[in-house]
Amino acid sequence: MPTHNKDGLKLYDQELNSRLLVGTALYPSPEIMAKAIEASGSDMVTLSLRRQDPSNNQGQVIWQYIQQSGCALLPNTAGCHSAQEAITLAHMSREMFNTDFIKLEVIGDDYNLQPDPFETVKAAENLIKSGFKVLPYCTDDLVLCQRLLDVGCQVLMPWGSPIGTGKGLMNPYNLQAIRDRFPTTSLIIDAGIGKPSQAMAAMEMGFDGVLLNTAIAKAHNPVLMAQAFAQAVNGGRQGYLAGLMESRQTASPSTPVLGTPFWQQQ
């Protein structure tokens, strides 16, 4: 029986009904973004401060649609490559959006957009001390996750695979180890999810939520895809809570015949 969140998703002091978090980038238009967010049923969306350039009118339109959606905002430090850069951007986000929540993203490699574990821990520790509610994007490294918890993070967001690849859960063993090692920590799979079936697989493993962007925004029909992911996340969660059947090496009949009387037609 799981010992972490059963009814709703709790991130620090924020209660969410939906376990699907969605991004706001890459959509064909702000209008389609707004419809996809509504179709996803998400209660929290991510937004980068870098997209709020005063000269960028589309950025302002996106922000207006987010406000109208009623979703909680999770600003992110996308594009940062050092702890200090992420810390600076986080403080600017808090001032602009009036929220202590921050998705901490410190990229260490531009080829696969892998987060820098050292700079991420450094930034997380600083931001936690400054009163932020930090949701760190990290690799599926058990020791790194422990270090992030040690500095005060209450939520972890390990990747399924590199951002935008759609490869799903590359290392199920690592992810399951993180889930088993930290049973009471809210864990969200962030990045690499490309299909609803991959989101369902993450939820069936016992993860508390899924955060994704590209798979919805770049679909031929983002609104329909948002609905598909919402159903997949709910289905995976229900399956996990119900108790999944364990795989077996040998076949077992679904209708037992031993001891069952046999009536022969005369």
Side-chain angles (χ1 to χ4, degrees):
M1 179 63 67
T3 56
H4 48 294
N5 294 320
K6 299 183 182 67
D7 301 317
L9 176 59
K10 186 173 183 180
L11 306 178
Y12 291 90
D13 60 352
Q14 183 79 44
E15 294 278 359
L16 304 176
N17 293 318
S18 172
R19 293 177 178 272
L20 175 61
L21 287 69
V22 297
T24 56
L26 305 177
Y27 288 90
S29 70
E31 292 78 13
I32 292 178
M33 177 207 72
K35 292 178 180 178
I37 291 174
E38 181 179 5
S40 74
S42 179
D43 296 320
M44 179 174 278
V45 299
T46 64
L47 179 67
S48 171
L49 179 63
R50 294 181 184 278
R51 302 177 66 202
Q52 297 308 300
D53 181 350
S55 64
N56 181 0
N57 182 61
Q58 187 179 60
Q60 295 299 321
V61 173
I62 289 172
W63 173 229
Q64 291 171 5
Y65 273 119
I66 292 172
Q67 289 177 303
Q68 293 170 9
S69 75
C71 292
L73 184 66
L74 178 61
N76 71 52
T77 61
C80 292
H81 289 77
S82 70
Q84 189 54 57
E85 188 180 5
I87 291 166
T88 300
L89 193 61
H91 280 274
M92 293 173 64
S93 293
R94 180 159 67 179
E95 183 175 343
M96 175 173 285
F97 300 122
N98 192 31
T99 178
D100 292 328
F101 276 85
I102 193 74
K103 176 188 171 183
L104 176 60
E105 197 172 310
V106 185
I107 299 302
D109 183 84
D110 287 328
Y111 175 72
N112 69 353
L113 300 181
Q114 179 171 325
D116 185 319
F118 308 102
E119 294 295 293
T120 297
V121 172
K122 186 190 301 184
E125 182 173 18
N126 180 289
L127 292 172
I128 289 289
K129 289 179 179 178
S130 297
F132 282 90
K133 295 158 185 170
V134 180
L135 285 74
Y137 164 59
C138 60
T139 55
D140 51 358
D141 184 299
L142 186 64
V143 176
L144 171 58
C145 288
Q146 182 64 69
R147 296 293 179 267
L148 288 166
L149 293 176
D150 289 344
V151 300
C153 294
Q154 296 179 24
V155 181
L156 300 175
M157 300 205 300
W159 70 358
S161 51
I163 296 172
T165 63
K167 290 183 177 296
L169 309 181
M170 286 196 311
N171 296 302
Y173 175 84
N174 289 9
L175 293 171
Q176 191 65 66
I178 292 171
R179 176 69 284 172
D180 294 344
R181 180 66 180 83
F182 309 116
T184 61
T185 300
S186 292
L187 299 176
I188 297 172
I189 293 293
D190 178 16
I193 298 297
K195 303 175 183 177
S197 58
Q198 295 167 349
M200 178 174 281
M203 299 304 295
E204 289 176 344
M205 291 175 68
F207 279 82
D208 296 285
V210 171
L211 193 161
L212 57 90
N213 188 160
T214 307
I216 293 177
K218 288 295 188 178
H220 293 304
N221 187 330
V223 176
L224 186 59
M225 186 61 78
Q227 293 173 344
F229 271 104
Q231 293 169 3
V233 167
N234 289 337
R237 181 63 178 175
Q238 290 173 345
Y240 171 69
L241 292 176
L244 298 173
M245 174 184 173
E246 294 185 7
S247 61
R248 297 165 53 98
Q249 291 296 325
T250 59
S252 177
S254 58
T255 305
V257 296
L258 186 63
T260 301
F262 176 72
W263 291 272
Q264 184 173 2
Q265 197 86 4
Q266 297 294 332

